[in-house]
Amino acid sequence: MSDVIRTEKHDDVLVITIDSPPVNSLSRKVVEGLASAVEAANQDDSVRAIVITGAGGQFVAGADIGELQKAAEDPKAAQLGGDLADSLENIEANAKPVVMAIDGFALGGGLELAMAGHRRIGTTRCRLGLPELRLGLIPGAGGTQRLPRLVGLQKAIEMMLTSSELRGKQALDEGLIDELVEPDELLDAAIAAARKLAAGQLEPVRASQKDDKLGTPEMAEQMVQMAKAMAGDKIRNLVHPDYCLDAILTGVKEGYAAGLQRERENFLKCLETPQAAGLIHMFFATREAPKVPGVTDQGFEPAKIEKAAVLGGGTMGSGIATSLLYAGVNVVLKEINDEAAEAGRGRVDANLQSRLKKGKLRQEKYDDMMSRLSLQTDYAGFDQLDMVIEAVVENVDLKQQVFEDLEKATRDDCILATNTSTIDIKVVGQRTKAQDRILGTHFFSPAHIMPLVEIVRSDQTSPQTLNTVIQLAKRLKKTPVTVGNCVGFLVNRIFFPYGQAAGLLVDHGIDPYRIDQVIYDFGMPMGPFRMSDLAGVDVAKFAGGIMADAYRDRTYLSTLVDHLFEAKRFGQKTGVGYYRYENGKEAKPDPELAQYVEAARRDAGNPPPLDIDDQEIVERVFFGVVNEACRCLEEGIAIRASDIDVASVMGMGFPPYRGGVMKWADMLGAKYIYDKLSAWHEAHGPLYAPSELLASKAASGESLLK
Ligand code: T1G
């Protein structure tokens, strides 16, 4: 018997338990072990029925993504899905009844396994979904065929395209499970159902034979067209949504067997796409980021953060306070006066109200959170705090004064964090002797929504402090990326060449609106100029100036932003920037921009215009980012290349299906990038001066991810 499959006889029912920590994923070993356990049960005359369940309060988290990653790199090994698909067909066709006992998650191949059973018993905390599209894949073991037959085509399409889940009673109501029980009743209920099936008192449900919920091919065609229309631009550059819908539609039009065959063909095609490589890379990179060598692997017990203060109730401070409240922390919101404090509470309330209205927050949870928020305008009681997060205005003197006061007002084990986005954290803590417990927690706006938080350590931040804040970030359901202490930390630092390169292209005759369109088509949420309008042209000018000062040896500054600033064209908030905003939101190109572009080109000496294609625009805008990222690795600002991928996706919206900026670069190759940068360095100066790390990777041919 295998060490990942346990069997236990309950009189005439054999219970097969998948026990493969951490998430019972369907590795080849599990798939083979399960198949032989079912086979053995079939050979055993004393067994009249079978129950399949998972250990550890969870069912199965899907196919083993590590093995899928290997299969993607070596297609001939892609039998994994095939073996799984075949064994699920055998389970459904099994003569002896097979009941699925589902607690916790049944995702991807885990739900496909559950759907191959003759009856599904779920607990009130079960979570069922087919999130394969989040990995650039499609269900590869019958999911595109069985899910529509169990929950109906509309719901199935929605679940697969949005990777959404049905939980507990929802799953019962939609027909995905047949019985709903409490966790401690699950095994008995499953055994009882198995016996009833064996005795003919219950009819087995073989999903592949259920057609009553499918509807007609014409309706299916309409639903698929509607799904594509609704997805719209969100699925630009992706192929797997279409492959998924194609498999579903084939199954409706030509029957289950044809649909299964199409699913298999399309699954293998998805497995070999760069989008799958990128998204699977992001899956692991996101889970690797919170692991900091020498910090999280030392067995340090994180300090309890039960009561924290946030200084400053502006957009960032109120967002951070909201995030802390969600995680169960008691929060003191300190402002300079009562009015400002009340305004801060109002912002926290507004953050929660929007979720309350969307039904994403229950009233009692809202009431509990607001009851744990208190307002203050002084440091009274700060000696009771476990942590303070400062989010006051970006003014060095003010921050230094605040930290000097905090050191006096708090316990000497209270963690002092700053949300600064531009100031060296040692400068912030300069007037204290508390540098060991000072660090940066750079949230991204809106702080209660954006998943990334850069955790900035100085050379004096203690590992215990760092570990506590990394664990807190995970409690906030954020992805913490630990970074070094430099101007701009990681995201803002690697992206300064992005905006500067766009300015250089405009100075060299490329239309800013074309640049935005090309960068949007590449997969960014919006182009650099539209982004500048959103953040504020004045903010872009201020932040751009700080970065240019810090990295002046490799800066190119177009004067375009200065001309817009002087003309008070601050972007969306003033109704005009690079674009004009009629109804305050919709960006329209503005013919007036031309005069400022001409002025910038004159300031640049009217260099000869560049005649380049869209691909080269993408490369000229992003290769500087890759280059600066290499410098961050050289200097230890980033711990690993995949952290930069996580930061670029979560902090700047780099398309996750390209795997983040370093994975994308690695697919192009260091030498290709180095050669381009060298040529542009020659032509345009230091913005493109290749970094040493890139030069050495180009010379050695080594991966940028190693
Ligand atoms: N395979 C391998 N490892 C997995 C895994 C998986 N499916 N899921 C999680 N892990 C690892 C993860 O890397 C981490 O490892 C640890 O488990 C805890 O994960 C044929 C082709 C299940 C909701 O997409 O959504 O089936 O860092 O931190 O927050 O049609 O993991 O500890 O070393 O995320 O409690 C489809 C992916 C696969 C589900 C648990 N399934 N997993 O969340 O823990 S494709 C999925 C999750 C497929 C078939 C197709 C979550 C979770 P380490 P974690 P968590």
Side-chain angles (χ1 to χ4, degrees), residues 69-78:
Q69 191 170 42
K70 289 193 190 74
E73 283 146 17
D74 173 12
K76 65 178 179 308

Side-chain angles (χ1 to χ4, degrees), residues 187-348:
L187 194 53
D188 291 347
I191 290 169
R195 287 207 176 98
K196 283 183 186 159
L197 284 166
Q201 293 161 358
L202 273 178
E203 276 308 306
V205 172
R206 287 187 166 81
S208 64
Q209 294 158 18
K210 249 176 81 54
D211 288 349
D212 57 309
K213 285 190 167 182
L214 269 190
T216 63
E218 294 71 22
M219 284 161 62
E221 188 67 60
Q222 270 175 10
M223 284 180 198
V224 164
Q225 293 317 321
M226 201 188 311
K228 286 183 180 179
M230 282 173 64
D233 256 4
K234 279 200 290 291
I235 59 172
R236 67 184 185 283
N237 302 327
L238 302 180
V239 293
H240 54 292
D242 284 346
Y243 277 132
C244 185
L245 292 169
D246 173 53
I248 294 169
L249 207 48
T250 303
V252 177
K253 286 181 174 174
E254 301 169 30
Y256 178 81
L260 200 64
Q261 178 56 32
R262 181 63 60 83
E263 174 192 272
R264 178 105 200 100
E265 291 159 6
N266 291 358
F267 170 75
L268 291 175
K269 288 175 188 166
C270 291
L271 196 57
E272 296 168 13
T273 60
Q275 291 89 341
L279 286 166
I280 291 174
H281 170 75
M282 279 306 295
F283 176 86
F284 289 117
T286 307
R287 286 157 180 81
E288 189 67 14
K291 297 172 187 171
V292 178
V295 175
T296 56
D297 55 3
Q298 303 296 309
F300 296 138
E301 190 55 38
K304 281 203 177 327
I305 305 293
E306 285 165 347
K307 190 168 184 186
V310 175
L311 304 191
T315 307
M316 286 308 289
S318 57
I320 294 167
T322 306
S323 210
L324 289 166
L325 289 166
Y326 257 118
V329 178
N330 294 316
V331 176
V332 173
L333 187 58
K334 180 191 176 293
E335 257 289 2
I336 48 173
N337 58 47
D338 291 340
E339 188 193 354
E342 269 309 325
R345 185 212 300 274
R347 291 186 192 94
V348 173

Side-chain angles (χ1 to χ4, degrees), residues 22-23 25 61-65 109 112 131-132 135 139-140 267 283 287 291:
V23 293
S25 55
D64 188 284
I65 302 175
E112 291 174 305
E132 285 86 344
L135 297 168
F267 170 75
F283 176 86
R287 286 157 180 81
K291 297 172 187 171

